[in-house]
Amino acid sequence: MTSRKKARGKARRALKAVEEGKKSNGDVKEEVKRSEEKEGSKVESLISQMEWLQMSGSDECVHGCVTCVCCLPPSDRVYVDFVDIFIDIYNMSVKENYGDAMASLDAAVSVMRDQHSEVYYNKMEWIISYLVAMGTKLVLMNDITGARFLAFFSYYFDQISSDVRDKYWQQRVCELVKSDEHTLVKYLRRRIPCECLDVKYKEVKSITKLGWCINPECPSGQKVDRSKMLCCTGCNQAHYCSRECHVADWPIHKLDCNAAASGQE
């Protein structure tokens, strides 16, 4: 793998090509621009936290994967570089996609698959374990926002590299990046070989699990009790908090819905 600086420059050019033609016609709402800036700020904060953790060696539990660069054999450090570059590209893509997390993931993965195919196709299990271990560390440091992003990345990688995907995997990806602490801690706890999140889970398991309403104009702010969510019967993927939100979002959702129903995803 080339140096990180060169890789970022190459990735930036590749991302620009991927994003070309994707920008929607007309003016972009100011609130969407603010959302993009907010998401970008969160990711930049995550990058700083990860850089600090990567240099922090200790005798503490590694949660299933060594994350300290100093403790890794040189042959494995290329995988850490892969994660770092991926997050950098995702951050750039968020700005190109006006805060759309799913579109940003797709664009970033497209670049990584093309430019770093050897790691992408052969070391995905390690990448997922690394993201889960880092996410666990951030939860224990009470950095819930950073942990959400790493859980979000790990689940996305897990699903796109799997032969059999979860039924509502796209919905769950979107929920993880904005998840309540109950959902987040449960997700990570089930994927680590240690008991380091057991105490934290007892603290948060009484929190109501929240679902994510796909309607961007949802009057509830898109977060509602997951048990009350309604699923679109056309595609069996999009979830809404009410029939009213489903109807309101239909002009936008119908294209994706029809494509999913006909197997064109």
Side-chain angles (χ1 to χ4, degrees):
M1 185 176 286
T2 57
S3 71
R4 184 174 174 184
K5 183 176 180 181
K6 289 182 179 178
R8 284 190 66 187
K10 186 177 180 182
R12 188 185 296 273
R13 292 190 293 275
L15 179 62
K16 186 176 180 180
V18 170
E19 297 301 334
E20 205 168 85
K22 279 191 177 181
K23 295 181 180 179
S24 58
N25 294 326
D27 294 331
V28 179
K29 293 181 179 180
E30 286 301 317
E31 61 188 81
V32 177
K33 289 183 179 179
R34 287 196 296 271
S35 174
E36 163 249 303
E37 291 170 355
K38 187 176 181 181
E39 290 301 299
S41 176
K42 289 178 182 177
V43 180
E44 287 170 4
S45 176
L46 169 63
I47 292 170
S48 297
Q49 281 280 52
M50 289 186 67
E51 288 176 348
W52 182 81
L53 286 174
Q54 287 165 1
M55 299 307 295
S56 301
S58 71
D59 296 327
E60 297 177 0
C61 180
V62 297
H63 316 302
C65 184
V66 175
T67 57
C68 174
V69 175
C70 300
C71 302
L72 286 171
S75 59
D76 286 356
R77 293 176 189 175
V78 66
Y79 313 141
V80 176
D81 290 342
F82 177 96
V83 174
D84 291 345
I85 294 168
F86 167 77
I87 294 176
D88 286 337
I89 298 172
Y90 172 81
N91 193 29
M92 289 185 272
S93 188
V94 163
K95 297 170 184 178
E96 293 286 342
N97 286 290
Y98 307 114
D100 186 327
M102 201 66 183
S104 301
L105 276 178
D106 291 341
V109 165
S110 176
V111 173
M112 298 305 291
R113 186 168 51 233
D114 292 343
Q115 296 190 5
H116 307 291
S117 57
E118 184 175 348
V119 176
Y120 180 88
Y121 288 109
N122 298 315
K123 294 296 179 181
M124 189 53 67
E125 186 176 348
W126 191 97
I127 299 297
I128 294 168
S129 295
Y130 176 82
L131 289 167
V132 168
M134 287 291 254
T136 299
K137 286 189 174 185
L138 291 181
V139 166
L140 295 173
M141 292 169 58
N142 290 316
D143 182 355
I144 302 303
T145 298
R148 285 188 184 118
F149 274 107
L150 296 183
F152 164 64
F153 295 146
S154 69
Y155 182 67
Y156 180 84
F157 277 133
D158 176 69
Q159 291 300 296
I160 64 172
S161 61
S162 175
D163 293 331
V164 181
R165 297 178 182 178
D166 294 344
K167 186 176 181 180
Y168 302 122
W169 75 275
Q170 291 178 317
Q171 179 75 18
R172 195 174 185 198
V173 166
C174 295
E175 287 178 352
L176 274 172
V177 77
K178 302 177 181 180
S179 61
D180 56 89
E181 287 191 52
H182 184 172
T183 298
L184 173 65
V185 175
K186 183 177 181 179
Y187 171 83
L188 294 170
R189 179 172 174 258
R190 292 177 65 180
R191 287 163 174 79
I192 55 176
C194 55
E195 300 176 351
C196 295
L197 287 179
D198 287 4
V199 173
K200 185 66 174 179
Y201 183 69
K202 289 178 181 179
E203 293 175 4
V204 302
K205 68 179 182 179
S206 61
I207 296 174
T208 301
K209 290 184 178 180
L210 299 178
W212 185 69
C213 177
I214 201 171
N215 176 22
E217 303 298 330
C218 173
S220 301
Q222 296 187 280
K223 288 186 177 182
V224 292
D225 186 333
R226 191 180 300 169
S227 65
K228 298 178 181 179
M229 297 291 288
L230 304 175
C231 181
C232 173
T233 56
C235 62
N236 288 318
Q237 291 181 9
H239 287 66
Y240 297 92
C241 64
S242 65
R243 173 172 171 74
E244 288 73 20
C245 270
H246 191 181
V247 172
D249 189 53
W250 181 245
I252 298 173
H253 175 60
K254 63 181 178 182
L255 296 177
D256 290 335
C257 183
N258 293 338
S262 61
Q264 297 176 12
E265 278 193 301

